[in-house]
């Protein structure tokens, strides 16, 4: 065992091995704002840590049923991650997909990651910047499914919905009705980092 650890240190040039994190999802993972003129993925907050290497793959406009196929291809190319942070569902809700169908696609991705021995970090879908949206009910139903499943399976969860829905955050962290601004994505990154560092 000691010889094996010694080999790892030498193979890594004597540097500390980094914890690799895959951040996967839609435009909220890509850090999309200013109409797509700027991208500030929350993964950059994780990469500020010396012992973390975060890889961000965000597909603006994609629904979860499209993410599933791409996610499988992504893991086929590189599955050497300790964590996978999955955030999706905003575009599905806009297309009026039932929460149960959306969660089925999210669950498929959870299973894919876990089959590769990757620990999944689930993320709740944030609210729109304007209160009292017709999407509030379906989004709350989806988030309940995410949180309930995560709790039952003892999975880590970032409840970004409740964090950004706080009055002091909701009024200052959005770029438009759906996307955060730079500070909003920073908050998301800080929430994810705090959850990962709890281990």
């Amino acid at each position: 065992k000691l010889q094996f650890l010694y080999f790892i240190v030498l193979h890594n040039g004597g540097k500390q091995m980094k914890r690799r994190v895959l951040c996967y999802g839609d435009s909220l993972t890509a850090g999309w704002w200013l109409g797509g003129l700027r991208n500030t993925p929350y993964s950059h907050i994780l990469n500020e840590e010396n012992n973390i290497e975060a890889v961000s793959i965000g597909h603006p406009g994609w629904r979860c049923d499209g993410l599933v196929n791409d996610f499988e291809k992504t893991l086929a190319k590189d599955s050497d991650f300790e964590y996978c942070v999955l955030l999706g569902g905003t575009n599905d809700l806009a297309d009026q997909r039932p929460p149960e169908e959306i969660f089925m696609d999210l669950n498929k991705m959870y299973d894919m990651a876990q089959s590769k021995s990757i620990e999944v970090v689930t993320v709740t879908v944030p609210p729109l910047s304007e209160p009292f949206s017709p999407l509030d009910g379906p989004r709350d139903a989806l988030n309940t499914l995410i949180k309930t499943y995560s709790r039952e399976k003892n999975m880590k969860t970032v409840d970004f919905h409740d964090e950004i829905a706080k009055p002091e955050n909701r009024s200052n962290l959005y770029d438009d009705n759906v996307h955060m601004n730079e500070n909003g994505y920073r908050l998301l990154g800080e929430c994810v980092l705090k959850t990962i560092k709890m281990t």
Side-chain angles (χ1 to χ4, degrees):
K1 185 176 180 181
L2 290 176
Q3 289 179 337
F4 178 69
L5 292 174
Y6 181 67
F7 170 76
I8 291 178
V9 172
L10 288 180
H11 186 68
N12 199 43
K15 298 180 181 178
Q16 182 182 11
M17 297 289 286
K18 292 193 174 185
R19 308 172 75 180
R20 298 191 74 222
V21 180
L22 173 61
C23 305
Y24 190 87
D26 51 29
S27 58
L28 300 183
T29 296
W32 195 97
W33 63 298
L34 287 180
L37 295 177
R38 291 199 58 184
N39 289 285
T40 310
Y42 69 83
S43 59
H44 81 278
I45 300 299
L46 279 63
N47 280 321
E48 290 176 359
E49 298 288 309
N50 291 330
N51 66 330
I52 294 178
E53 177 192 349
V55 176
S56 180
I57 300 179
H59 298 285
W62 283 33
R63 303 189 332 182
C64 287
D65 51 358
L67 291 174
V68 168
N69 293 329
D70 181 78
F71 187 65
E72 184 175 18
K73 296 175 183 176
T74 297
L75 292 185
K77 294 177 182 176
D78 184 2
S79 62
D80 186 22
F81 296 100
E82 182 176 349
Y83 293 103
C84 177
V85 185
L86 280 163
L87 170 56
T90 296
N91 299 303
D92 304 74
L93 292 169
D95 284 349
Q96 300 183 344
R97 289 189 75 204
E100 295 78 11
E101 289 186 10
I102 303 170
F103 180 72
M104 285 179 62
D105 288 327
L106 286 170
N107 199 9
K108 289 176 184 177
M109 290 187 279
Y110 300 161
D111 289 344
M112 287 179 194
Q114 290 172 333
S115 71
K116 301 288 187 179
S117 299
I118 303 171
E119 184 170 352
V120 175
V121 179
T122 64
V123 186
T124 55
V125 180
L128 302 179
S129 63
E130 298 177 0
F132 311 115
S133 163
L135 298 180
D136 286 352
R139 186 198 58 248
D140 291 346
L142 175 59
N143 284 338
T144 296
L145 289 169
I146 293 172
K147 289 190 287 186
T148 300
Y149 183 84
S150 300
R151 184 170 57 252
E152 291 175 349
K153 299 296 183 180
N154 198 29
M155 297 162 65
K156 299 182 188 302
T157 304
V158 176
D159 196 351
F160 189 52
H161 173 276
D162 284 5
E163 185 65 33
I164 202 167
K166 295 176 181 178
E168 64 270 25
N169 289 336
R170 197 162 183 166
S171 60
N172 298 316
L173 301 181
Y174 278 86
D175 176 58
D176 55 33
N177 196 34
V178 176
H179 303 92
M180 285 83 242
N181 57 27
E182 188 172 18
N183 293 327
Y185 290 121
R186 170 168 284 276
L187 175 64
L188 175 54
E190 291 171 350
C191 291
V192 170
L193 179 60
K194 180 180 179 181
T195 300
I196 289 176
K197 291 179 75 173
M198 286 174 64
T199 55

